[in-house]
């Protein structure tokens, strides 16, 4: 096995600044959430559908949730109120105030931070306005809708000097993704030659009929910057156990949850799971700075459930994001990243180097170096360095690893607000992954290879592909200038 010098290399290249031997590696959430009602941070939650409620489950242990906002009073607001989240006072829970306009939350001086879990096309506008209002921001992945929004979001995070955490909790999976990153960064696999990022297939849908907009839903506000279109939906489906909702939603629609299968509001699996796995691939290889991206992105091997012309779907009543694909990102050093819908090893990331290979996914990491006991090579200092020197919280009894990662991701955000430090999934590093997510979608939609100038952060040599850098924003819903 490699020597101690390799371990020292890991520590110095993993941004360990800020770590202190005087701070314990594990802390109970209560140690920095502050149980005294006068000292607990106050949070407003914007977008409280299925993912928002899951985030709130963990934030409820750490902060006082004093306000919630959703454009659907039944699917969103009513479901949350039945979950029992809120502000703790004298052993009682005070339910949060409810709003249908997120701006009412941003106007409140008593709110320290916001959680954003709206559909993807709303993330950047709300986040930028929250930062301008002086709030710290926890924003669900995928961070943005377009390449242009990546630059806007990053600029806002840098300008307004607040803590911003991206909701990609996989960087907090200690025994899977963090371990894989230590192995790759430490050179145990040699020079990485190929990375396979299996993010699964997107679903297709039948023709979805026009439907009456639910009385509880503000459809105009839900659409936001996206074009005004008819509401379409099929019959309702029961809630899944993890969704924490008490009202049904349609099985197929342009709205709740299914928004991710429409390029108008998201990017299909490229942004849904790509925001997780592409992020980990780049994080492990330390390719997180402007100028470190691919030189070409080949989307010729991509299939969609409907016909496309010039990158746009020809029908508007069926899911339209790519269902089967291999998108090849080629880097300047010859390394190739295959972002695919199916692979031999299944969902996860396969790193192949000159000295070996590992495959990592939620729940496990496998490879010869794992079998040889490489885990014993790494100390808590190594993991702490990956965490940007911000101590971990304790793993509560009974929590499975994924549950721990959800909590750690949020503890990390709160701890950085309280004590300073860089969050484990900061905007600057995650924007690089978001670039590749959106480039995958653009290349797939056009079914061709596009060239990317990483230093200038723009598509080159293809005016049609470059036109997808940004999208027209509907009047009244424009993203503010930073």
């Amino acid at each position: 096995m490699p020597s101690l010098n390799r371990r020292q290399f890991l520590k110095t290249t993993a941004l360990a600044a800020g770590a202190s031997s005087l701070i314990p590696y594990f802390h109970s959430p209560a140690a920095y959430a502050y149980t005294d009602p006068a000292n607990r941070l106050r949070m407003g939650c914007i977008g409280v559908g299925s993912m928002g409620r899951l985030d709130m489950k963990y934030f409820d242990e750490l902060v006082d949730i004093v306000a919630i906002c959703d454009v659907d009073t039944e699917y969103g607001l009513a479901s949350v109120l039945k979950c029992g989240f809120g502000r703790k006072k004298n052993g009682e829970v005070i339910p949060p105030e409810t709003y249908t306009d997120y701006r009412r939350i941003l106007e409140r001086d008593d709110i320290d931070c916001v959680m954003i879990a709206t559909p993807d096309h709303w993330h950047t506008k709300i986040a930028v306005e929250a930062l301008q209002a002086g709030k710290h921001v926890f924003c669900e992945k995928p961070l943005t809708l377009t390449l242009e929004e990546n630059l806007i979001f990053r600029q806002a995070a840098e300008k307004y000097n607040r803590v911003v955490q991206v909701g990609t909790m996989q960087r907090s999976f200690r025994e899977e993704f963090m371990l894989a990153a230590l192995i790759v960064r430490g050179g145990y696999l040699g020079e990485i030659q190929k990375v396979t990022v299996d993010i699964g297939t997107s679903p297709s849908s039948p023709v979805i009929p026009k439907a009456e907009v639910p009385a509880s839903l503000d459809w105009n506000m839900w659409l936001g910057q996206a074009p005004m279109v008819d509401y379409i939906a099929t019959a309702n489906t029961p809630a899944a156990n993890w969704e924490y909702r008490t009202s049904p939603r349609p099985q197929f629609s342009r709205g709740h949850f299914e928004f991710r299968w429409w390029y108008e509001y998201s990017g299909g699996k490229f942004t849904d799971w790509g925001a997780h796995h592409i992020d980990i691939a780049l994080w492990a290889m330390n390719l997180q700075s402007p100028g470190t991206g691919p030189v070409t992105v080949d989307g010729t091997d991509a299939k969609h459930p409907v016909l496309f012309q010039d990158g746009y779907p020809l029908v508007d009543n069926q899911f339209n994001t790519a269902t089967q694909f291999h998108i090849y990102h080629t880097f300047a050093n010859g390394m190739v990243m295959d972002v695919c819908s199916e692979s031999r090893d299944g969902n996860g990331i396969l790193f192949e180097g000159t000295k070996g290979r590992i495959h990592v996914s939620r729940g496990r990491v496998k490879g010869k170096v794992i079998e040889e006991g490489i885990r014993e090579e790494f100390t808590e200092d190594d993991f702490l360095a990956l965490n940007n020197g911000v101590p971990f919280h304790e793993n509560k009894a009974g929590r499975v690893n994924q549950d721990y990662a959800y909590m750690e991701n949020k503890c990390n955000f709160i701890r950085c607000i309280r004590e300073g430090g860089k969050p484990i999934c900061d905007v600057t590093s995650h924007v690089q992954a978001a670039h590749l997510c959106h480039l995958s979608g653009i290349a797939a939609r056009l079914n061709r290879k596009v060239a990317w100038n990483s230093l200038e952060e723009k598509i080159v040599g293809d005016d049609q592909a470059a036109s997808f850098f940004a999208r027209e924003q509907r009047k009244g819903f424009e993203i503010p200038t930073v």
Side-chain angles (χ1 to χ4, degrees):
M1 283 294 172
S3 68
L4 185 62
N5 288 335
R6 177 66 56 81
R7 183 175 296 152
Q8 290 300 118
F9 168 79
L10 285 166
K11 292 177 186 177
T12 57
T13 59
L15 301 176
S20 171
S21 60
L22 300 179
I23 302 176
Y25 294 118
F26 295 94
H27 265 247
S28 166
Y32 52 97
Y34 300 96
T35 55
D36 181 352
N39 288 327
R40 286 171 67 89
L41 292 174
R42 291 185 163 207
M43 173 176 279
C45 297
I46 303 170
V48 291
S50 54
M51 194 65 230
R53 286 189 287 276
L54 185 59
D55 284 336
M56 290 175 68
K57 170 186 174 183
Y58 299 97
F59 273 126
D60 192 54
E61 295 187 37
L62 303 171
V63 300
D64 280 341
I65 297 175
V66 299
I68 59 174
C69 175
D70 202 280
V71 297
D72 194 323
T73 58
E74 182 62 30
Y75 173 82
L77 300 180
S79 291
V80 168
L81 292 177
K82 293 175 182 178
C83 292
F85 304 136
R87 182 164 63 91
K88 283 69 177 175
K89 183 177 181 180
N90 299 327
E92 297 183 0
V93 176
I94 301 174
E97 296 290 328
T98 61
Y99 302 93
T100 55
D101 188 332
Y102 71 92
R103 289 170 292 189
R104 303 293 81 81
I105 286 181
L106 302 187
E107 291 169 354
R108 288 181 52 166
D109 292 334
D110 65 329
I111 291 178
D112 306 293
C113 53
V114 296
M115 181 277 291
I116 302 170
T118 62
D120 305 350
H121 64 293
W122 267 104
H123 286 178
T124 301
K125 178 175 173 60
I126 296 175
V128 170
E129 292 176 359
L131 290 168
Q132 291 176 331
K135 315 299 184 190
H136 302 283
V137 172
F138 180 96
C139 186
E140 263 302 331
K141 62 83 195 167
L143 197 62
T144 60
L145 182 68
T146 66
L147 292 165
E148 178 189 51
E149 289 186 19
N150 286 343
L151 306 186
I152 293 172
F153 206 136
R154 185 177 66 197
Q155 184 179 358
E158 293 171 351
K159 178 177 180 178
Y160 298 112
N161 195 30
R162 291 293 183 268
V163 175
V164 183
Q165 177 84 295
V166 185
T168 48
M169 73 289 183
Q170 285 190 171
R171 291 196 191 184
S172 297
F173 277 71
R174 287 169 55 85
E175 300 305 319
E176 293 92 353
F177 300 109
M178 292 186 91
L179 176 58
L182 290 173
I183 292 170
V184 173
R185 289 192 183 197
Y188 294 90
L189 304 181
E191 182 180 354
I192 301 300
Q193 298 177 315
K194 182 178 180 182
V195 180
T196 302
V197 180
D198 186 333
I199 56 177
T201 61
S202 295
S204 57
S205 75
V207 172
I208 306 172
K210 183 177 178 180
E212 184 176 349
V213 178
S216 62
L217 173 64
D218 184 340
W219 180 236
N220 178 62
M221 192 68 167
W222 189 96
L223 286 170
Q225 66 163 285
M228 173 57 71
V229 293
D230 290 333
Y231 179 76
I232 59 176
T234 59
N236 288 333
T237 181
N241 290 335
W242 66 273
E243 292 187 277
Y244 305 103
R245 61 184 167 97
T246 57
S247 57
R249 61 169 170 79
Q251 182 177 6
F252 299 103
S253 77
R254 271 189 177 270
H256 303 315
F257 194 83
E258 279 74 33
F259 68 83
R260 66 202 68 214
W261 315 129
W262 303 86
Y263 281 127
E264 293 90 326
Y265 322 117
S266 186
K269 279 297 178 71
F270 296 131
T271 53
D272 185 46
W273 271 88
H276 286 309
H277 285 348
I278 293 174
D279 176 70
I280 292 297
L282 296 181
W283 185 57
M285 294 185 290
N286 217 11
L287 297 175
Q288 303 166 276
S289 303
T292 59
V295 293
T296 61
V297 181
D298 188 344
T300 54
D301 188 359
K303 297 179 175 62
H304 288 85
V306 297
L307 293 176
F308 272 64
Q309 182 176 332
D310 297 329
Y312 293 94
L314 296 178
V315 300
D316 63 1
N317 55 5
Q318 291 178 263
F319 294 167
N320 57 37
T321 56
T323 52
Q324 295 178 305
F325 47 84
H326 284 271
I327 311 296
Y328 298 100
H329 299 251
T330 301
F331 290 70
N333 65 355
M335 189 269 289
V336 175
M337 178 186 295
D338 175 11
V339 178
C340 64
S341 55
E342 187 176 8
S343 67
R344 183 188 63 187
D345 294 280
N347 182 282
I349 308 131
L350 174 66
F351 296 94
E352 298 180 81
T354 53
K355 296 181 181 179
R357 51 193 281 168
I358 58 170
H359 183 267
V360 61
S361 61
R362 293 186 187 179
R364 64 163 175 76
V365 55
K366 63 179 183 178
K368 186 177 180 181
V369 292
I370 300 297
E371 296 169 3
E372 293 176 344
I374 195 166
R375 174 63 178 84
E376 301 304 317
E377 287 290 311
F378 304 114
T379 68
E380 288 299 327
D381 282 334
D382 297 323
F383 288 94
L384 186 63
L386 281 180
N387 218 38
N388 294 325
V390 179
F392 300 93
H393 81 283
E394 67 180 6
N395 191 353
K396 285 191 172 182
R399 276 213 169 103
V400 297
N401 192 48
Q402 181 164 316
D403 202 31
Y404 169 81
Y406 271 110
M407 175 59 88
E408 173 57 36
N409 178 245
K410 289 150 184 67
C411 285
N412 181 269
F413 172 62
I414 300 302
R415 183 148 205 155
C416 288
I417 295 174
R418 284 294 192 186
E419 303 175 8
K422 183 178 180 181
I424 188 171
C425 197
D426 64 291
V427 171
T428 298
S429 65
H430 187 76
V431 158
Q432 295 308 111
H435 279 345
L436 270 63
C437 292
H438 296 319
L439 287 168
S440 294
I442 293 169
R445 292 173 68 161
L446 293 170
N447 210 230
R448 63 174 179 254
K449 182 185 290 187
V450 298
W452 174 248
N453 185 318
S454 295
L455 290 174
E456 297 184 12
E457 296 180 295
K458 66 180 184 180
I459 295 171
V460 294
D462 187 332
D463 291 342
Q464 187 179 48
S467 70
F468 287 89
F469 182 85
R471 301 190 198 181
E472 183 178 354
Q473 298 162 35
R474 194 156 58 100
K475 186 176 181 180
F477 297 95
E478 298 90 348
I479 296 168
T481 301
V482 177

